[in-house]
Amino acid sequence: QVQLVESGGGLVQPGGSLRLSCAVSGATLDYYNVGWFRQAPGKEREQISCISSNARGTYYADSVKGRFTISGDNAKNMVYLQMNNLKPEDTAVYYCAGDRSSCFVPRFTSWGQGTQVTVSS
């Protein structure tokens, strides 16, 4: 059974930075794809980034490209999302999710519980 746990959310001012972490257990990142998603109230869940197994590739939504960076530490089974130049529209619950197949499956098999990110003055 694969489990994912997010951490690192909180309140930050516009222009500030946060780093989210996703701890993965039950799978090795050598063979696991991990994506970051976010969902704001009243909006559809949005995939904003993904790192493919063994970090063969990384992907970003246009809304965060150039500001967010995804990375992984295989030895620690950790995936990170560095978020810079945060904007109020980045406010959402952020989730990490994993799948053995790819970064672009219609349904990821495992999900974390979410961590709240609020960008406000």
Side-chain angles (χ1 to χ4, degrees):
Q1 182 178 359
V2 179
Q3 295 180 342
L4 301 96
V5 180
E6 307 96 332
S7 62
L11 175 64
V12 64
Q13 293 183 335
S17 298
L18 285 174
R19 188 177 77 160
L20 305 183
S21 299
C22 178
V24 180
S25 61
T28 171
L29 298 183
D30 291 334
Y31 303 101
Y32 207 59
N33 308 275
V34 178
W36 284 98
F37 296 74
R38 67 185 183 186
Q39 187 168 25
K43 296 184 178 180
E44 294 290 324
R45 183 173 292 170
E46 175 191 18
Q47 185 174 6
I48 57 172
S49 190
C50 193
I51 185 165
S52 60
S53 58
N54 205 26
R56 293 181 178 90
T58 57
Y59 308 90
Y60 301 93
D62 288 343
S63 57
V64 306
K65 195 170 187 178
R67 299 188 296 123
F68 293 9
T69 303
I70 190 170
S71 62
D73 186 332
N74 286 13
K76 297 180 179 179
N77 257 27
M78 296 285 292
V79 175
Y80 306 98
L81 185 69
Q82 179 67 45
M83 306 186 295
N84 297 327
N85 192 25
L86 284 161
K87 306 176 185 296
E89 52 263 42
D90 295 319
T91 297
V93 177
Y94 284 71
Y95 301 86
C96 61
D99 194 271
R100 295 180 178 88
S101 180
S102 81
C103 275
F104 307 106
V105 293
R107 181 180 175 181
F108 278 66
T109 56
S110 300
W111 289 80
Q113 82 291 341
T115 185
Q116 177 71 46
V117 173
T118 302
V119 185
S120 176
S121 297

